[in-house]
Amino acid sequence: MTEPGWVAHAIWWQVYPLGFVGAFPADPAPTADEHRLRRVVEWLDHAVELGASGIALGPLFDSRTHGYDTTDHFRIDPRLGDDGDFDHLTAEAHRRGLRVLLDGVFNHVGTDFERYRQALDGGPDHPASAWFRRHGAQSEFATFEGHGELIALNHDNPDVVEYAATVMRHWLARGADGWRLDAAYAVPDRFWARVLPEVRREFPDAWFVGEVIHGDYSATVAAATFDSVTQYELWKAIWSSLNDGNFHELDWALQRHNDFLGAFVPLTFIGNHDVTRIASQLENPRHLEHALVILLTTGGTPSVYAGDESAYRGVKEDRRGGDDAVRPEFGSPSADPTQPGADVLRLHQYLIGLRRRHPWLHTATTSALSLTNTQYVYRADGDGGTLIVALNVDDAPLRLSLPEYGVPSGRVVAGSGAPPPDEVTHPEVAGHGWLIIEPH
């Protein structure tokens, strides 16, 4: 594994800044003198109280619309503010012990990107034209997944390689701690393998996570020299196994996850800015707790999408503007213990605290102790400890016998319903409940 040592304790709170501060969609668009990026600073204490150790930021750089159509990688989007606002945000985050992860879009650029405008005006023989891919022998510029406003870069061009490395170094020097690499699955691994070692020479403590959805994660990490990739397989298995009453799917995904953990530590999540919020995705709201328990008792570098910790709802739709519902504007933080979602927030805080007290969970592997469609007991083992996790999405109770698992007794450290006795041998998990047990 190549990841920096600090990542072993990392738990991210993810923010999509343009939506978070009401900058997109917005009419009229805010201007730089509004300094909206500073509104994120108001929420940093919330991130600390949640138990996070870092803030993962969505696109910050100059763009026309949603941030993934970059116009200038060296300029903070004027709808958010300016360099001074970025410096203030990173300084305030670091003052609280929070790392800062940036979102880098290097697969494609927006149609206002300067070199693209030069390529359009200058024709195919202009030097800027070599920055972009084309459709074979045709003259049309290639795009990202058919989106005409997203122009695909030519990743075999040494100038593009150097440009990406220079952008990363620039913002790492200004205080960032790492990069999420957007649409990394659409970029040749050889590009990242040229860029990242160059950046690491100057910033060996930086962390790089590629957005990868399908394929051989371990092979991609090795070929691209990533530290990590997004664990979409486990994300899908968590919510669909809970919805379908099919824990065999989750167990299969966790076996795959064990294999990944032998090579790298994936970025794990149950929500992000690109998917339907977990509170809307799950058909039974009681199972939101189960999803969170899985996230925080299995190996990985967990990320919590802002709002999920308060059971925010939002459905992603396959249409223009279809992401807006999962990327809402946030007001000022509230300390009202009766606000909607307060119970979910407290559960997040407790389980994140549990994970931080058991740092070995970062690389913990899981093994099934008992498995049916609707009842699942697994053991999480790491260098330093063991937890037994029991999940029940059946109407009937789940009765455990710890001695049958080779454990004489254990202490219940978390669970749904009334607090059970401190020491148990044959605990019972109520219908649609869960328990976490630490063996003696």
Side-chain angles (χ1 to χ4, degrees):
M1 296 182 187
T2 62
E3 68 177 26
W6 60 265
V7 182
H9 305 279
I11 298 173
W12 298 104
W13 188 59
Q14 187 206 353
V15 170
Y16 174 75
L18 287 167
F20 194 91
V21 305
F24 178 81
D27 186 21
T31 57
D33 58 6
E34 295 183 51
H35 304 284
R36 291 200 180 197
L37 188 58
R38 293 181 181 240
R39 286 170 50 181
V40 178
V41 175
E42 299 176 22
W43 283 83
L44 295 181
D45 289 339
H46 169 83
V48 172
E49 291 164 3
L50 178 66
S53 59
I55 178 170
L57 298 169
L60 295 176
F61 311 123
D62 193 11
S63 72
R64 290 181 63 185
T65 59
H66 45 59
Y68 292 99
D69 53 343
T70 314
T71 297
D72 186 347
H73 290 85
F74 291 100
R75 183 189 186 202
I76 295 296
D77 196 307
R79 294 171 295 173
L80 295 172
D82 54 28
D83 276 9
D85 300 318
F86 174 82
D87 293 342
H88 177 65
L89 172 56
T90 55
E92 288 297 309
H94 289 157
R95 186 171 69 82
R96 292 167 171 82
L98 295 169
R99 300 277 180 167
V100 176
L101 186 71
L102 299 185
D103 202 342
V105 187
F106 299 107
N107 175 66
H108 50 268
V109 295
T111 53
D112 284 342
F113 188 71
E114 181 181 5
R115 284 180 181 81
Y116 177 65
R117 305 308 306 178
Q118 293 171 352
L120 278 180
D121 296 340
D125 295 329
H126 191 283
S129 183
W131 275 59
F132 307 98
R133 293 204 306 269
R134 293 180 181 269
H135 291 296
Q138 303 176 31
S139 59
E140 294 89 356
F141 289 102
T143 61
F144 173 56
E145 296 182 349
H147 299 288
E149 69 278 11
L150 304 178
I151 311 303
L153 289 164
N154 174 12
H155 298 99
D156 289 325
N157 184 338
D159 291 338
V160 175
V161 172
E162 181 55 31
Y163 177 80
T166 301
V167 171
M168 291 185 196
R169 287 192 295 256
H170 173 82
W171 294 105
L172 289 168
R174 289 196 79 109
D177 295 286
W179 286 90
R180 172 196 179 269
L181 303 170
D182 181 69
Y185 58 86
V187 178
D189 292 339
R190 61 183 178 274
F191 173 78
W192 304 117
R194 295 172 68 186
V195 171
L196 299 185
E198 288 296 316
V199 180
R200 283 193 179 98
R201 285 192 184 94
E202 190 172 343
F203 298 95
D205 210 32
W207 185 63
F208 301 92
V209 53
E211 183 196 15
V212 178
I213 300 175
H214 306 294
D216 187 337
Y217 291 169
S218 297
T220 296
V221 167
T225 72
F226 296 146
D227 293 308
S228 182
V229 295
T230 50
Q231 225 304 26
Y232 270 93
E233 284 189 12
L234 184 58
W235 161 78
K236 191 269 178 184
I238 290 172
W239 62 259
S240 64
S241 67
L242 292 171
N243 279 349
D244 298 343
N246 181 15
F247 276 133
H248 293 278
E249 178 186 3
L250 177 60
D251 183 66
W252 182 89
L254 285 174
Q255 291 179 50
R256 289 261 297 169
H257 192 63
N258 288 342
D259 293 339
F260 301 146
L261 287 162
F264 71 98
V265 180
L267 177 69
T268 53
F269 57 94
I270 53 175
N272 65 31
H273 66 295
D274 280 330
V275 300
T276 291
R277 286 192 180 270
I278 188 66
S280 295
Q281 186 74 260
L282 291 172
E283 296 170 1
N284 187 331
R286 289 183 289 180
H287 298 162
L288 178 59
E289 296 185 9
H290 298 67
L292 186 63
V293 168
I294 298 164
L295 174 68
L296 293 172
T297 60
T298 53
T301 302
S303 176
V304 176
Y305 182 44
D308 281 358
E309 72 273 23
S310 296
Y312 278 26
R313 301 182 68 84
V315 176
K316 177 184 172 70
E317 298 179 359
D318 188 16
R319 58 173 177 82
R320 182 173 291 276
D323 294 316
D324 296 350
V326 299
R327 302 174 179 180
E329 182 175 2
F330 281 57
S332 297
S334 170
D336 181 1
T338 64
Q339 66 180 323
D343 288 345
V344 176
L345 174 59
R346 285 191 288 270
L347 180 61
H348 273 76
Q349 291 171 319
Y350 185 85
L351 291 176
I352 290 174
L354 176 68
R355 189 178 186 91
R356 296 192 72 164
R357 292 190 299 274
H358 297 79
W360 52 267
L361 280 166
H362 182 63
T363 54
T365 57
T366 58
S367 54
L369 298 175
S370 176
L371 174 62
T372 69
N373 283 340
T374 55
Q375 297 179 330
Y376 186 32
V377 183
Y378 63 84
R379 177 178 175 128
D381 287 297
D383 184 11
T386 295
L387 292 177
I388 294 174
V389 180
L391 306 171
N392 187 10
V393 296
D394 203 301
D395 294 333
L398 166 61
R399 295 178 177 85
L400 308 181
S401 174
L402 297 187
E404 290 183 12
Y405 307 145
V407 176
S409 65
R411 179 175 66 93
V412 174
V413 294
S416 55
D422 282 343
E423 183 157 344
V424 293
T425 57
H426 294 80
E428 181 176 288
V429 185
H432 302 278
W434 55 274
L435 284 181
I436 303 174
I437 299 167
E438 189 164 23
H440 285 314

